[in-house]
Each structure stands twice: as C-alpha cells, then as structure tokens.
Amino acid sequence: MIDVSILGHLSVRGAAGRRADIHTRRGEELLAFLFLEAGRSFHRAQLAEHFWSHLPETRGRKALNTELWRICKALAAVGMDVKQSIRRTPREVGYRRQPDHRFDLDRLKAAMDVINLTRPESAAEKDCDTVKKAVAAYKGDLLESVYSDWFLLC
C-alpha cells in the first residue's frame, strides 16, 4: 500500500512506513501536480515551462528530466511501481493512479460526502468512522507550503 498525503505537506509512504525522499521543493511540486492531475498527460515542454520558466527551454527540459528521474527513484525505493504509475514517454508525462495508492484527499472527500448527505441523527457507525479517518488524516490545507503560480489554477 502506498499512502499519499497532499494535505499540509506532500508525503508518500510505502508499505513499511518508509517515506519517499523527494530531494527538492520543485520535485515535490511537480509530483504533487501530477498527483492532483491524475489520469492526464502533459507535454514535457509544458511542464518545463510551468516549473522552470526562469530557465532557457533546453535547460528547463533537462531540469525536468533530472527531477523526474529523482522522483521515480524515490518512489521506487518505497515500493511504488513507477512503470505503472508514472507514465513517461519522450513527449509526455503523467500519473496513473493504482489500486494500492491511498490519498488523504480521498478520505476528506468521502467525509464531506457523508456530512453533506447524511443526517447526524441517522448516521451509521461506518459513516462516523469515515469522518474520523478524514479528521485523523487532515494535516493542513492542500499543499499549504506551495506558493507557485501553477498552484493558483488548482
């Protein structure tokens, strides 16, 4: 099981509880972006422009490739099957969600569904557990330490 926390600060933990060591802030932001946009693919040039716009295009693409290599290495170290999860082609990059990936954001969404659709007096134990798990998983606002322009679009 891979546990992904996006609330508060980005954290990816493997089955043994080991945390993926994403070495740079830009790498964390890139991975968070891919997680939030699961199922979509992005042209490498577009990603390089989003995250390395201060660099010339060729250096931005090189920085993207290096960061993707670091991310994949860190995720593989905690047991994520990066060949299945991180789609990389010469032109595009994307994240494909796998059945063994659990997101804290999903727990929060499930709790909001319970709160919005269930009357408190008729809440089942299962509904209460859903809300309790979301509260326990809540570590802060969505990527609260990210101030980059791309995040304004989320």
Side-chain angles (χ1 to χ4, degrees):
M1 191 61 66
I2 303 293
D3 285 307
V4 179
S5 295
I6 299 178
L7 298 172
H9 300 281
L10 177 68
S11 173
V12 181
R13 293 193 182 272
R18 185 170 174 215
R19 186 175 182 265
D21 187 11
I22 310 298
H23 293 282
T24 65
R25 181 181 58 84
R26 194 80 71 201
E28 286 183 353
E29 289 184 12
L30 174 60
L31 183 57
F33 176 81
L34 294 173
F35 283 153
L36 289 170
E37 297 291 341
R40 294 183 61 198
S41 291
F42 297 91
H43 288 280
R44 287 176 179 262
Q46 180 185 11
L47 291 173
E49 176 62 29
H50 276 312
F51 292 96
W52 290 275
S53 60
H54 61 287
L55 297 175
E57 183 180 345
T58 50
R59 286 191 55 213
R61 292 281 299 262
K62 185 174 180 175
L64 171 66
N65 291 337
T66 300
E67 208 58 62
L68 284 169
W69 177 81
R70 286 183 186 144
I71 288 169
C72 289
K73 185 176 176 184
L75 295 176
V78 299
M80 183 183 284
D81 182 353
V82 293
K83 288 184 179 179
Q84 290 296 315
S85 302
I86 306 295
R87 180 180 179 270
R88 294 179 292 168
T89 69
R91 294 189 62 214
E92 297 182 329
V93 176
Y95 166 72
R96 285 186 286 206
R97 192 158 180 177
Q98 303 300 310
D100 67 334
H101 296 182
R102 293 188 318 195
F103 283 78
D104 58 351
L105 197 55
D106 291 341
R107 288 189 283 273
L108 184 63
K109 288 177 182 177
M112 292 306 300
D113 287 344
V114 167
I115 291 167
N116 289 327
L117 301 173
T118 307
R119 295 170 44 137
E121 62 276 4
S122 64
E125 186 67 31
K126 177 183 83 157
D127 295 332
C128 293
D129 285 344
T130 298
V131 174
K132 287 178 188 176
K133 286 178 184 175
V135 169
Y138 186 80
K139 307 260 186 305
D141 292 338
L142 180 67
L143 298 170
E144 64 187 13
S145 63
V146 175
Y147 300 103
S148 299
D149 290 343
W150 71 264
F151 190 65
L152 298 174
L153 302 174
C154 291

